[in-house]
Amino acid sequence: MGELICTVCNQTYSLNDPRWRCECGSILDIAFTPIFDMGRIAGRKPTMWRYREAIPVGRDADIVSFDEGFTPLLEVRFRDFPVLIKQDHLFPSASYKDRGASVLISKVKELGIKSVVEDSSGNAGCAIAAYCARAGIRCEIFVPEDTSPAKLAQIRLYNASLKLIPGSREDTAEAVLASAEKGYYASHSWNPFFFQGTKTFAYEVCEQLGWKSPDTIILPAGNGTLVLGAFIGFTELRDAGVIDKIPKIIVVQSENCAPLYTAFHIGLRDVPPVEKGDTLAEGIAIADPIRGEQILKVVRETDGDFITVSDDEVMNSLRELGRGGFCIEPTSAATTAGIGKYIERIQSSEVIVSVFTGHGLKSTEKIGKIMK
Ligand SMILES: Cc1ncc(COP(=O)(O)O)c(C=O)c1O
Ligand SMILES: [Zn+2]
């Protein structure tokens, strides 16, 4: 049922080979044909695992889950324009990263692996730590020293071994690689099983729209785990004949760290790293995204675009959503600021879907300063 395939040299490996990159050092993807049995899907619990035959994990007994997913698709008005927002800040560890962690850690359990390492700006670390705790798998989470205190507390609460790395997010990515040589790297950016979880975002959206595709989706990207996962999901549904089109993908980055936006607008195929400035949107501040080339490709293929937002726009959007009763973290407010900018320039009505990626209670110290 499928195989790992190298994105550069095309070498293939069994899905049961416990590797996270090709022998040539490049990124792996998963070649796999999902099955969508609408009757069975409709009869199951409202969780992301209702698409069971579309997720490449062998045995049901290995599934690591909190019955997560199938988050509400709620209408929220932006400048009086209706946008459907997936409430992915309501996941068990309070960010959409649980989609990827549930599938990846289920696969880790299936492989019989007893300990993993991961690096993160915070939320992916929280998600991997939560699912490892649920599965009884040891994990070591590397994060930058200046990660939000609530995220650090959450990782500790899940009993993970926390490694605080001085310097930048890139220094953290560098530091984890030595451990990844020895242990299994449950990386949200390298490991292709993570994207087999984030793809359920697309399945849920289409099912909630009556098995139809929206016209446009607006998503954030640092490493692009939601953008690439959503693209996989929509493509699989289109190839299976369930929907007839893949939506246009609009990607939001912070203007202080926008390597994808920059490469896209000057027409490059790959993504040179950038110097990163300070930004409130800590979760998407990735100066050197590993899957950058893939992200550019899918956005171009869907006739999409990149938008950047400033910290002032993030703060305004965060406050506005708060006044409407929503508590999201500043990184998540970067996406909502991007929605406002996108809506200003559209000519006709479109069905737009976006997402709240992370809960505000993960960032109370930043929100406290913004609201002073
Ligand atoms: C709240 C939130 N939104 C969006 C993202 C962006 O995810 P990615 O880097 O996979 O594009 C992150 C990543 O940590 C996040 O924490
Ligand atoms: Zn290779």
Side-chain angles (χ1 to χ4, degrees):
M1 64 142 7
E3 56 194 4
L4 297 168
I5 180 162
C6 177
T7 53
V8 173
C9 75
N10 289 325
Q11 169 79 32
T12 58
Y13 305 91
S14 156
L15 287 185
N16 291 329
D17 190 334
R19 61 169 57 244
W20 53 272
R21 68 177 162 189
C22 182
E23 260 160 25
C24 80
S26 306
I27 302 164
L28 294 170
D29 277 342
I30 290 176
F32 166 73
T33 307
I35 294 167
F36 301 98
D37 180 332
M38 298 317 182
R40 291 178 90 176
I41 292 170
R44 291 188 178 130
K45 284 192 282 195
T47 82
M48 58 176 260
W49 286 93
R50 67 203 260 111
Y51 314 101
R52 176 68 186 94
E53 296 77 17
I55 299 175
V57 170
R59 293 179 312 183
D60 285 357
D62 293 319
I63 293 175
V64 184
S65 171
F66 297 91
D67 276 359
E68 60 290 285
F70 218 76
T71 51
L73 183 63
L74 187 71
E75 183 183 298
V76 180
R77 290 199 162 253
F78 289 78
R79 297 170 209 278
D80 223 25
F81 192 100
V83 176
L84 298 165
I85 305 278
K86 279 293 266 179
Q87 306 287 295
D88 274 15
H89 60 315
L90 304 179
F91 265 94
S93 87
S95 88
Y96 82 91
K97 303 269 185 187
D98 289 359
R99 292 187 186 276
S102 183
V103 173
L104 174 53
I105 300 306
S106 297
K107 187 66 200 178
V108 165
K109 191 172 168 200
E110 187 185 0
L111 294 172
I113 291 165
K114 300 287 182 243
S115 76
V116 303
V117 295
E118 156 73 321
D119 60 311
S120 158
S121 63
N123 281 335
C126 292
I128 294 291
Y131 284 80
C132 280
R134 179 103 170 123
I137 290 166
R138 278 191 309 279
C139 73
E140 216 177 15
I141 307 288
F142 290 65
V143 293
E145 217 168 35
D146 63 355
T147 300
S148 283
K151 293 178 189 174
L152 298 180
Q154 200 182 350
I155 293 169
R156 287 198 175 101
L157 183 70
Y158 296 137
N159 203 30
S161 157
L162 184 62
K163 305 276 178 227
L164 293 176
I165 308 299
S168 67
R169 173 68 182 87
E170 287 63 44
D171 293 325
T172 300
E174 182 79 30
V176 78
L177 284 176
S179 291
E181 295 300 334
K182 293 174 252 136
Y184 186 74
Y185 190 19
S187 167
H188 59 289
S189 46
W190 277 94
N191 201 302
F193 283 99
F194 198 88
F195 300 81
Q196 294 294 311
T198 52
K199 75 180 184 182
T200 60
F201 173 88
Y203 298 169
E204 291 177 19
V205 166
C206 291
E207 186 176 356
Q208 288 166 319
L209 293 175
W211 289 117
K212 286 200 177 65
S213 171
D215 297 314
T216 306
I217 52 170
I218 304 178
L219 303 174
N223 276 309
T225 55
L226 191 52
V227 171
L228 293 172
F231 181 77
I232 294 170
F234 286 116
T235 304
E236 289 174 340
L237 290 172
R238 198 261 329 258
D239 292 351
V242 177
I243 57 171
D244 56 9
K245 65 166 190 214
I246 298 172
K248 185 165 65 172
I249 303 182
I250 307 296
V251 175
V252 184
Q253 295 216 282
S254 159
E255 74 179 22
N256 292 341
C257 184
L260 298 163
Y261 170 92
T262 307
F264 182 81
H265 286 287
I266 53 177
L268 299 180
R269 239 193 72 192
D270 55 2
V271 180
V274 293
E275 278 290 316
K276 136 165 99 187
D278 270 353
T279 169
L280 278 170
E282 61 185 20
I284 50 172
I286 304 293
D288 188 9
I290 289 155
R291 291 181 184 261
E293 200 176 318
Q294 283 185 328
I295 301 169
L296 291 187
K297 192 160 170 279
V298 309
V299 173
R300 287 193 176 117
E301 252 180 71
T302 67
D303 200 24
D305 202 356
F306 285 83
I307 290 177
T308 56
V309 293
S310 68
D311 272 7
D312 276 348
E313 288 165 334
V314 170
M315 283 190 276
N316 288 338
S317 191
L318 183 85
R319 288 194 198 98
E320 198 180 317
L321 281 151
R323 283 195 297 272
F326 296 106
C327 181
I328 59 173
E329 64 171 292
T331 298
S332 194
T335 309
T336 54
I339 296 173
K341 285 182 120 165
Y342 178 74
I343 279 170
E344 267 175 20
R345 64 183 203 200
I346 56 174
Q347 312 289 336
S348 55
S349 70
E350 332 181 336
V351 177
I352 303 178
V353 168
S354 187
V355 58
F356 290 161
T357 50
H359 204 289
L361 292 176
K362 283 172 172 280
S363 263
T364 44
E365 79 304 336
K366 274 191 181 166
I367 296 177
K369 280 187 199 141
I370 292 168
M371 297 315 295
K372 256 198 189 143

